[in-house]
Amino acid sequence: MENKMFCYQCQETAGCKGCTMVGVCGKKPDVAAMQDLLVYVSKGISAVTTALRREGKPVAAEINHLITLNLFTTITNANFDKESIEARIRATLDIKKDLLFQLSSTANLPEAALWDGSGDWEEKAKTVGVLSTKNEDIRSLRELITYGLKGLSAYSKHANVLLQDDEEVDAFLQRALAATLDDTLSVDDLVSLTLETGKYGVSGMALLDKANTTAYGNPEITKVNIGVGKNPGILVSGHDLRDLEMLLEQTQGTGVDVYTHSEMLPAHYYPAFKKYSNFVGNYGNAWWKQKEEFESFNGPILMTTNCIVPPKDSYKERLYTTGAAGYPGCKHIPGEIGEQKDFSALIAHAQKCAPPTEIETGEIIGGFAHAQVFALADKVVEAVKAGAIKKFVVMGGCDGRAKSRDYYTEFAKALPKDAVILTAGCAKYKYNKLPLGDIGGIPRVLDAGQCNDSYSLAVIALKLKEILGLDDINDLPIVYNIAWYEQKAVIVLLALLYLGVKNIHLGPTLPAFLSPNVAKVLVENFGIAGIGTVEDDLKQFFGENA
C-alpha cells in the first residue's frame, strides 16, 4: 500500500517506525505534505542566504526570523492549518526570488534554491519529503540535524520576540539546513555537523536564557497555586512568555483571571509576572491531558506555540492560536515580532464564560533555574560533601500519553531518598506532585522551568564540576534519564552531547529516525541507551543496593 505521508519526527510515531496514513498527532496527509514542502523551501532559501553571506552580503533579521518561524511551524503539534502553512511557503518563495537577484552567481545552488513554486505542490511534496533521501544512514543524519534545527528555531523565536538576536546562530542554522541538501557530504561529515548543531544549541539556549532573564528577571523559588478562583479565566498554554505578558497587561481591570497550562507553568517563577494580581495559578497537567482539562476550564484557551491536541467540538470555539500555532476553524490572533497583539476578542469571550471548574487544589514548588540554584550552592555542595545528597538525576524532557511513560513516575517514586531530581520541560508532570519531600530543606524535585530552560540544567552541571574541582563533567554525581517527545528535546540531547555528557538514557523509546548504524555511533561514542525496567535501571544507576 502506498504511503499517504511519512513522518517519524516524534516519539509517538506509529509503531516506532513512521506515520504513513495519518499522524498519531492528528496531522492529516495533506498538512504533512505542506509541512514537508515548507521545510524544503526553507532549505532552499537557506542555501541562498548562505551563499549571500559567502559573498559578504548581509542578510536582514526579518529573513532570519522568517526561516526560524518556518521551522517552528513544522514542529510536532504546532500547526495543523494547511492554509497558513501554504501562506508561509508563498511568502518564502517570494522573498527567495528577490534574494536570488542579489547573488553574483546561482550556478552552484541546489534545486531547492531555484524552485519557483510552479506545478502541483502536493506532487512536489512527494518528491522532497523524508524518504526522498534513499541512503538510510544519510537520511537518518539529515533528519537528526533537521529536527535539532527545528528545536533550535524554537529557542531563537522565543528570544527574537523579546528583541534578542544572534546572527551567528541564525547563520549556522541556515548553513546547516542547506547542508542537508548537499549530496557530497559523507556520513562522517554529517556526524560532525550533528555535533556542531549541538554546539549552536547551547548558544541558542544561552540566548533565550538571556532574553527571558533580561525581560522578566531570574526565576526564583515559587509556590504555584493549582486551585481556581471565582472569576472567569483565560488559560494560556505553549511556551511564549511575551504573549503571556501582553495578555496579562490587557486583562488588568477586566475581571478576567489568567492561568497557565502545561509548559507555561514556569512563568510563575519570574519576578516580573508576580505583579499581576489576576495571574492566579496553574490549571491542569501536561499537554496531552488537554482534552479533558480544556473542557472543564470553561473559558477560552490561548495556544502560543506547539502542543495542540486536535480539539473536541465542546471547546473548539474557545481555542485561539497565535504565533507558530494554528488549527483550522480556530481563531488566530496575528502579530509580528515587535508588534502589540490585540487580545480584546479573547478577553470579551472570557467575560461571557463560567469560572473554571476546580480539578485539584494545593500548591507545587518550582523556580530552580541556574541563578536560584547558584544562590543555594553552598547548601547544595555541603549536602553533597556530607553525603546527604548522593546523586542528582536529570529527568527533564517531555511528557506524552503512552502508557510506557508511567515508568518515569515509578522511577521517581523508587529513587533512593538521597537522590535529587533535576528537571525542566513537561516531563515533570509525571512526578512534580508526588510527596517526595526534601533533603535538609532542598526539595527533591528541582524544577528549572520549560523545556526551553534545559540550559539551566547544563549550567548547573558545569558549575558543580567547577566547585567540586572535577576535570570531567562525567565525574559528577549526576545521571541522565531523559524522556523525549519532539524536536526541542532533540536539540537538548545534541547540546548535552556537544558538552561531553555521556551515558544518557533516553526513553520511553529511542527515536525512530535513528538508523541502526547511526544509533551504533551514538552508543559507541556517547553511551546513549534506552530505558529498561525501573528495577534494572535503578541498579545500573545506583548499584545493587538501590
Side-chain angles (χ1 to χ4, degrees), residues 11-12 262-263 265 282 284-289 293 360 364 395-415 421 423-436 444-445 447 481-485 507-508 531 534:
Q11 186 273 322
E12 288 186 354
S262 190
E263 280 278 64
L265 162 65
N282 189 73
N285 297 275
W287 63 273
W288 61 276
K289 290 190 174 182
E293 292 170 353
E360 55 189 342
I364 47 179
M395 290 179 67
C398 317
D399 197 12
R401 62 202 130 201
K403 184 69 177 171
S404 56
R405 289 179 181 269
D406 290 345
Y407 161 93
Y408 295 101
T409 303
E410 298 308 313
F411 186 87
K413 287 179 180 177
L415 281 172
I421 295 171
T423 192
C426 62
K428 62 175 155 273
Y429 285 102
K430 280 286 184 268
Y431 41 78
N432 69 341
K433 296 173 184 176
L434 296 176
L436 297 179
R444 289 188 59 226
V445 177
D447 175 23
N481 196 8
I482 296 174
W484 82 283
Y485 184 82
I531 61 171
V534 168

Side-chain angles (χ1 to χ4, degrees), residues 95-110:
I95 291 170
K96 178 168 65 70
K97 182 178 179 181
D98 292 337
L99 293 178
L100 284 168
F101 286 116
Q102 298 178 29
L103 282 173
S104 58
S105 172
T106 60
N108 296 315
L109 290 176

